[in-house]
Amino acid sequence: MSVLVGNETRLVVQGITGREGAFHAEACRDYGTNLVAGVVPGKGGQTAVGVPVFDTVAEAVETTGANVGFVLVPPAFCADAYAEAVDAGLDLVVSITEGVPTRDMVRVMRTVPPGGTRILGPNCPGVISPGKAKVGIMPGFIHKEGHVGVVSRSGTLTYEAVHQLSQRGIGQSTCVGIGGDPVIGTQFVDVLELFAADDDTEAVILIGEIGGGAEEEAADFIRREMDKPVVSFIAGQTAPPGRRMGHAGAIVMGGQGTAAGKMEALRSAGCTVVESPAEMGAAMEARLNA
Amino acid sequence: MNLHEHQAKALLAGYGVPIPRGKVAFSVDEAASAASELGLPVVVKAQIHAGGRGKAGGVRLARTDDEVRAAADAILGATLVTKQTGPEGRLVRRLLVEEGVAIARELYVSFIIDRSTGRPMCIASAAGGMDIEEVAAETPEKILTVTVDPAMGMQPFQARRLAFGLGFEGPVFRNGTKFLTALYRAFEGLDASQVEINPMLVTEGGDVLALDAKVSVDDSALFRQPEVAALRDIHEESPLEVEASKHRLSYIKLDGSVGCMVNGAGLAMATMDIVKLAGASPANFLDVGGGASAEQIENAFRILSSDPEVRVVLINIFGGILRCDRLAKGLIAAVRKLGVTLPIVIRMEGTNVELARRMLEESGLDFTTADGMRDAAEQVVRRLEVAA
């Protein structure tokens, strides 16, 4: 098994006729994801990337049995696309869109009923279960099938970690980018719960960054619930306080959210915390061979 | 985006948050006429995007016309150094002249988005005028919080709970709940990421006023907040950062000598970290975007080369889908076009990386290619030593 996406994934791409939408829908399909539909309001009845386009997500679900959504629309429309996916009852909806207003995310999260659609992102690379399915913008070929779960707030830094693992012959079960915004649909703890319960995941790399308290919450969960090895790196050890480091959520405020605090929390929860981003793969190799 | 106090107050007043009467002034004469309009005494306040102005001498009480002129003259054009400005300080270009009010109590209130619940949260404390982080650390029992359901908005019972907790009574209680409710509406309506009133004031007459106001608005929401976007004061930002933002580059100036150019915010932070671990110091944070287009790379070089502190450039691009040969072509073109003479260490990963390395090495330009992030950081240190 893998988590979030896999062989059972039936993908609908919201915004499939746009330049980005078409490009990434095709890349996901070429990787092996079962792309079944697209949605663009007003373009129902057309065909794009070899699949039927529907006016609404609900129609796409009814006709094609889609269960995972991939949102590729501009920031002002992202929350609405998420909400439509929630309303249609998809299992998971992913968005890579950067620059979604925080207030929109606050409202969308309020619309998800308990046990309802899982929202991933926004402003994240998406999710991939190597060899099975990719719902995101990550380069598929750097991944390798295997048993290490990767979860991260960053995009390219996740690729870096995956690359280090694959170079050492260590494959991945599922790699999840949760996104760098202040309010996101899926948190570290949510993904760790999935990894903890997944028989196919033997160990986890957790890549955090400055800002907020999600890494501390993750550390708390790891201390209480995880018996799988966790290797962690926190980006932003050299970041000045009070400045937003690219990601809207990456900011140290009033002494809260520092890299040092997060590293200490994770260390005390039993994680191997590396100071250098070049050591993520080697540290995982050491933990797996221990 | 951050706002000046006078801008923040004007926006809050639009939502019914009571504020003292005041006028903005850009010169001593304007300050004097504002004071005569408001009536003496007044408070003359420096307007910069940083807290701690009072301690730095940026806030003065003036009881006479001469005192108004003297205060305005002293503050305008001064460079205030507070714990939020850094050692270089911030030049004062505008003032807020405000009516003096008789203070009975000073309290604290703010709204933020609580990242853990993903909902708006009100933080209030009877300890006004103090650094709230200190209050939270030393006397956490003095901090009141209420989490707001975004679908419902701030409920009357929540405003009452805060008002009781702050010890409001009688007419002050009524004014206080009104104040809190209006403040939430402003937080919501302005797409604010933070609204902080410190101090929130109870006057001797029982009014509740925002004596100071700090409002930060979500950059991602500025497209639907044109009134707020128009208030941007670029004097409060570093010139290189303003230039970078024009090209949609995410850039933050630091004080080291290694200019970093990276795709992706997380990798950019990680690159700064590894530079530091190798014993050098990053000159900046710079994210050219996940795609690292040729145009963005040229813009990024322009920014890095105009920082006189930069002595070596480190480029770290994890391309993935991106073709490295295309990236190399863009890099060579940009370096030739701009006549960049700085040594450049490049680490890249992606399709056709070998071809790209050959292109860089055969270009005759000062490129050093690195294998992995650690090697890149070590090469940078070596180049710095050679240059020294």
Side-chain angles (χ1 to χ4, degrees), chain A:
Chain A
M1 280 295 286
S2 47
V3 306
L4 295 172
V5 296
N7 294 327
E8 68 293 347
T9 294
R10 297 175 65 78
L11 182 65
V12 51
V13 171
Q14 297 168 251
I16 197 167
T17 55
R19 193 166 54 93
E20 290 256 301
F23 178 82
H24 290 296
E26 199 168 332
C28 290
R29 187 199 58 199
D30 291 349
Y31 187 77
T33 313
N34 186 10
L35 175 70
V36 297
V39 168
V40 178
K43 295 197 175 171
Q46 298 184 8
T47 300
V49 198
V51 293
V53 178
F54 298 88
D55 285 322
T56 67
V57 179
E59 284 174 85
V61 170
E62 197 176 312
T63 312
T64 67
N67 55 14
V68 173
F70 188 8
V71 171
L72 288 143
V73 301
F77 311 109
C78 184
D80 185 51
Y82 267 144
E84 187 177 358
V86 171
D87 180 69
L90 295 179
D91 296 334
L92 169 72
V93 59
V94 180
S95 180
I96 60 155
T97 303
E98 184 175 354
V100 178
T102 303
R103 178 157 61 104
D104 290 5
M105 284 311 298
V106 169
R107 288 194 177 164
V108 164
M109 292 312 295
R110 179 63 173 75
T111 69
V112 183
T117 307
R118 184 186 296 278
I119 289 177
L120 184 63
N123 192 16
C124 77
V127 52
I128 183 169
S129 293
K132 296 180 184 129
K134 147 177 144 143
V135 179
I137 56 171
M138 64 287 281
F141 69 89
I142 63 170
H143 298 79
K144 180 178 159 62
E145 271 183 82
H147 304 289
V148 171
V150 179
V151 59
S152 168
R153 271 164 76 182
S154 145
T156 47
L157 184 55
T158 315
Y159 310 164
E160 174 71 36
V162 166
H163 178 68
Q164 289 177 20
L165 290 174
S166 295
Q167 270 189 325
R168 289 179 157 72
I170 304 171
Q172 305 92 39
S173 53
T174 303
C175 305
V176 190
I178 60 173
D181 282 357
V183 176
I184 50 179
T186 298
Q187 305 266 10
F188 278 129
V189 170
D190 302 317
V191 180
L192 289 175
E193 273 174 5
L194 296 173
F195 282 147
D198 179 36
D199 290 339
D200 224 23
T201 301
E202 290 169 7
V204 174
I205 289 195
L206 182 148
I207 304 164
E209 62 191 35
I210 53 163
E215 290 79 2
E216 287 83 347
E217 287 167 17
D220 199 42
F221 176 83
I222 291 164
R223 181 185 304 109
R224 288 184 288 108
E225 312 268 343
M226 284 287 275
D227 47 14
K228 299 177 182 182
V230 179
V231 168
S232 182
F233 171 74
I234 303 295
Q237 296 165 53
T238 49
R243 304 298 311 267
R244 258 170 233 288
M245 306 303 283
H247 284 157
I251 180 168
V252 174
M253 283 172 84
Q256 298 294 303
T258 64
K262 292 172 187 297
M263 291 164 78
E264 180 47 38
L266 288 160
R267 230 173 239 138
S268 74
C271 305
T272 300
V273 180
V274 293
E275 285 183 9
S276 161
E279 301 299 322
M280 294 184 283
M284 179 50 80
E285 191 169 42
R287 282 297 295 260
L288 290 174
N289 293 336

Side-chain angles (χ1 to χ4, degrees), chain A residues 99 101-104 107 110 153 156 160 163 217 236-238 243-246 249 254 275-276 279, chain B residues 115-116 119 133 149 188 191 218 220 224 241 250 252 263 267 272-273 276-277 285 347 349 374:
Chain A
T102 303
R103 178 157 61 104
D104 290 5
R107 288 194 177 164
R110 179 63 173 75
R153 271 164 76 182
T156 47
E160 174 71 36
H163 178 68
E217 287 167 17
Q237 296 165 53
T238 49
R243 304 298 311 267
R244 258 170 233 288
M245 306 303 283
E275 285 183 9
S276 161
E279 301 299 322
Chain B
R115 291 167 61 159
S116 161
R119 293 185 174 198
E133 278 95 27
D149 182 335
E188 162 94 11
D191 271 301
D218 180 3
S220 297
R224 63 185 180 204
E241 292 179 16
S250 185
I252 291 168
N263 67 331
L267 191 62
M272 288 162 45
D273 294 344
K276 190 84 172 187
L277 277 174
F285 166 93
R347 182 282 174 121
E349 211 50 73
R374 184 185 342 183

Side-chain angles (χ1 to χ4, degrees), chain B residues 41-118:
Chain B
V42 294
V43 181
V44 179
K45 306 173 88 174
Q47 299 293 288
I48 54 171
H49 287 189
R53 293 167 294 165
K55 279 181 194 146
V59 179
R60 293 196 189 186
L61 178 68
R63 292 182 187 82
T64 66
D65 288 341
D66 284 348
E67 282 182 15
V68 172
R69 287 188 167 273
D73 192 48
I75 300 172
L76 268 178
T79 298
L80 291 190
V81 179
T82 81
K83 72 175 183 184
Q84 289 181 16
T85 60
E88 71 279 11
R90 200 68 67 76
L91 180 67
V92 182
R93 297 165 189 270
R94 58 176 88 181
L95 302 169
L96 172 61
V97 181
E98 226 170 44
E99 63 174 336
V101 281
I103 300 173
R105 284 184 72 193
E106 294 188 42
L107 308 100
Y108 172 96
V109 62
S110 69
F111 280 93
I112 56 161
I113 299 289
D114 175 34
R115 291 167 61 159
S116 161
T117 58

